[in-house]
Amino acid sequence: MVKEIREAYNNSFTEEKYRTLLSELSSIAPLQFRVAETPVFIPKDFRDKLLSACESIVDVILRPDFKELTQRAIPAGLEVRHEDARPDCIAFDFGVCASADGTLEPQLIEMQAFPTLFAYQVFLADAFQKHFSLPEGYSSYLSGLNRETYLKALRELILQDHQPEEVILLEIFPHKQKTAIDFYCTEKYLGIQPVCVTELIKKGRQLFYIHNGKETLIKRIYNRLIFDELLQQEAWVREKAAILFEDLDVTWCPHPNWFYRISKFTLPFIQHPNIPTTYFVNTLQQIPEDLDNYVLKPLFSFAGQGVVIDVTRADIENIKDPENWILQRKVQYASVIQTPDEAAKTEIRIFYFWPKNAERPFPVNNLARLSKGKMIGVRYNKDKTWTGGSFAVFQS
């Protein structure tokens, strides 16, 4: 996105350096997803557009009636007790798109009050900085943070006042997840252990896990578990996980209910030039004539499952639970990343942290994904290079 920097990077790129990068990344764990050959270079004006859109959403989240507005977002049977007043973190996903006059602009794709690759992105940026020449005056960190202050903020967010052994990273079979490398990076930087929900031990209102061969009290949970994914698990896993819905003496980072409150469900309540117009399907007065400009999404799904890109009237009319679907104006990704063959599209995810004593959350870091297919995702980029997971560096 910055022509001179892009040309200099591409000209200095070698497959040997890329293979060395991948080898270093794999030293923690085998990579379960493709790593793109390049970062994304973001000029200051585009960074400011991204952050302006994020801040407008934060304003909506700060509304005094926000919890009331989003109560229906939490699926029946998946509400967890002792919800916090606010989420600890939020992730905002933007596509890089072309506006009507041809200038580049961000358009919100979705958002979640849920962790993402908070630790792995540090490891990834370190590796790129080591093996490739990145431009002066650009950083992957935001709000004036650097590597050290970002890790300090991450540590305070997740651990708060607890010792590392009193905090766990909770997932369903964490070592089998595609994002397991992030769990190991989290353990490397913070000292907390990834724990499967099936390994939890409940005594009264307290939870325990086995740490260094010893039963250890859990005081705080760094939650990486998508609760509606529990519904897809075998009965014995669901039975083990049922304790999470009981009255427990633990705190959450973030509390699971916020995953639903700040999500696709929130989009119809927000109006902003960089946020596509979105409707709950059950509130449509009439089906738009230009359906080719819209995408149909289920509210309660993960990783793009169930999304209908080429929408027809029949798709909408045949929905049995229209209150659980949104119709969102489609965004047109711009092919902006010049690569050795065809140009790539990109999506940027901005990380926000919300420390316990802060009035507002603030931006801290990011990830990026590159694609040459119809959508962002592995299945749309088979056998294509210069695609996959990456990060953006922003002009300071």
Side-chain angles (χ1 to χ4, degrees):
M1 293 176 62
V2 182
K3 184 179 179 181
E4 297 80 8
I5 294 175
R6 169 54 56 205
E7 288 178 351
Y9 182 91
N10 287 15
N11 289 336
S12 66
F13 177 87
T14 68
E15 286 293 335
E16 182 181 1
K17 286 193 287 187
Y18 178 61
R19 287 193 297 270
T20 305
L21 171 81
L22 295 181
S23 178
E24 178 159 343
L25 294 175
S26 301
S27 65
I28 284 188
L31 290 167
Q32 300 297 318
F33 49 85
R34 194 178 194 285
V35 176
E37 284 84 342
T38 180
V40 180
F41 305 112
I42 304 291
K44 187 185 299 183
D45 61 338
F46 195 89
R47 178 205 64 189
D48 291 345
K49 290 178 183 178
L50 283 167
L51 298 183
S52 172
C54 292
E55 292 298 319
S56 73
I57 300 168
V58 170
D59 288 340
V60 172
I61 295 167
L62 286 170
R63 284 174 46 169
D65 64 342
F66 185 76
K67 277 199 170 185
E68 179 182 351
L69 202 64
T70 57
Q71 190 56 39
R72 192 178 67 81
I74 306 169
L78 292 180
E79 188 167 6
V80 176
R81 303 189 194 195
H82 306 303
E83 182 181 322
D84 297 338
R86 61 195 190 184
D88 297 87
C89 57
I90 312 171
F92 300 101
D93 286 355
F94 292 90
V96 176
C97 304
S99 62
D101 64 5
T103 59
L104 296 180
E105 64 177 8
Q107 286 290 328
L108 186 76
I109 306 303
E110 62 181 13
M111 55 190 171
Q112 291 177 336
F114 193 73
T116 181
L117 307 179
F118 290 161
Y120 167 74
Q121 290 304 113
V122 176
F123 186 48
L124 179 65
D126 286 351
F128 261 96
Q129 188 69 51
K130 179 178 177 182
H131 298 290
F132 290 89
S133 177
L134 299 184
E136 293 289 333
Y138 283 73
S139 174
S140 56
Y141 303 104
L142 294 160
S143 299
L145 297 178
N146 56 31
R147 182 187 190 278
E148 289 68 32
T149 53
Y150 170 77
L151 283 174
K152 181 176 183 290
L154 181 64
R155 186 175 300 109
E156 292 173 352
L157 187 82
I158 296 175
L159 297 183
Q160 290 196 346
D161 301 322
H162 302 297
Q163 295 301 309
E165 62 270 16
E166 297 172 332
V167 182
I168 62 165
L169 186 157
L170 186 66
E171 241 294 14
I172 305 170
F173 307 118
H175 304 290
K176 296 181 180 180
Q177 297 291 334
K178 288 185 177 179
T179 53
I181 191 169
D182 179 68
F183 307 159
Y184 305 141
C185 288
T186 305
E187 187 171 17
K188 173 183 176 180
Y189 296 134
L190 305 187
I192 68 173
Q193 185 175 314
V195 175
C196 181
V197 66
T198 62
E199 298 170 341
L200 297 175
I201 302 163
K202 182 175 179 291
K203 296 182 178 181
R205 296 180 64 241
Q206 295 182 319
L207 291 180
F208 298 82
Y209 74 114
I210 303 301
H211 176 67
N212 291 336
K214 178 184 175 183
E215 198 171 275
T216 303
L217 178 65
I218 300 168
K219 294 186 178 180
R220 187 164 170 81
I221 295 174
Y222 178 40
N223 184 48
R224 301 298 298 270
L225 188 157
I226 306 290
F227 270 63
D228 40 342
E229 284 194 350
L230 286 173
L231 304 178
Q232 303 170 24
Q233 302 300 313
E234 295 180 42
W236 73 273
V237 178
R238 298 199 304 272
E239 290 168 8
K240 288 276 190 178
I243 61 174
L244 298 177
F245 300 97
E246 298 180 17
D247 186 11
L248 301 174
D249 186 18
V250 295
T251 62
W252 295 84
C253 177
H255 191 281
N257 292 355
W258 282 103
F259 173 82
Y260 301 105
R261 291 189 184 278
I262 301 175
S263 64
K264 294 188 287 285
F265 187 92
T266 321
L267 294 176
F269 302 112
I270 303 170
Q271 286 78 45
H272 187 277
N274 298 116
I275 300 173
T277 302
T278 306
Y279 306 95
F280 292 114
V281 171
N282 66 319
T283 67
L284 284 173
Q285 299 297 315
Q286 60 183 23
I287 297 175
E289 294 295 330
D290 59 336
L291 278 178
D292 56 325
N293 290 322
Y294 287 85
V295 60
L296 189 63
K297 296 181 178 181
L299 286 174
F300 308 117
S301 71
F302 185 64
Q305 295 176 8
V307 173
V308 181
I309 302 172
D310 301 313
V311 186
T312 66
R313 292 185 67 89
D315 291 325
I316 297 174
E317 292 168 347
N318 292 333
I319 293 174
K320 296 179 181 178
D321 54 343
E323 71 279 5
N324 293 327
W325 289 75
I326 56 171
L327 188 68
Q328 182 180 21
R329 192 155 190 89
K330 194 179 290 183
V331 302
Q332 298 296 331
Y333 288 80
S335 297
V336 293
I337 310 298
Q338 297 304 315
T339 81
D341 47 26
E342 59 183 306
K345 308 176 184 75
T346 187
E347 194 171 280
I348 300 167
R349 176 175 296 173
I350 303 293
F351 308 166
Y352 266 63
F353 288 176
W354 202 339
K356 60 181 178 180
N357 296 322
E359 292 184 4
R360 296 174 68 94
F362 63 96
V364 293
N365 202 347
N366 79 96
L367 64 77
R369 293 187 291 176
L370 277 65
S371 174
K372 295 177 180 177
K374 193 170 185 178
M375 288 182 67
I376 304 288
V378 174
R379 62 184 177 273
Y380 300 100
N381 288 280
K382 290 180 179 178
D383 303 321
K384 293 183 182 290
T385 59
W386 292 63
T387 63
S390 185
F391 64 107
V393 289
F394 303 96
Q395 184 180 25
S396 57

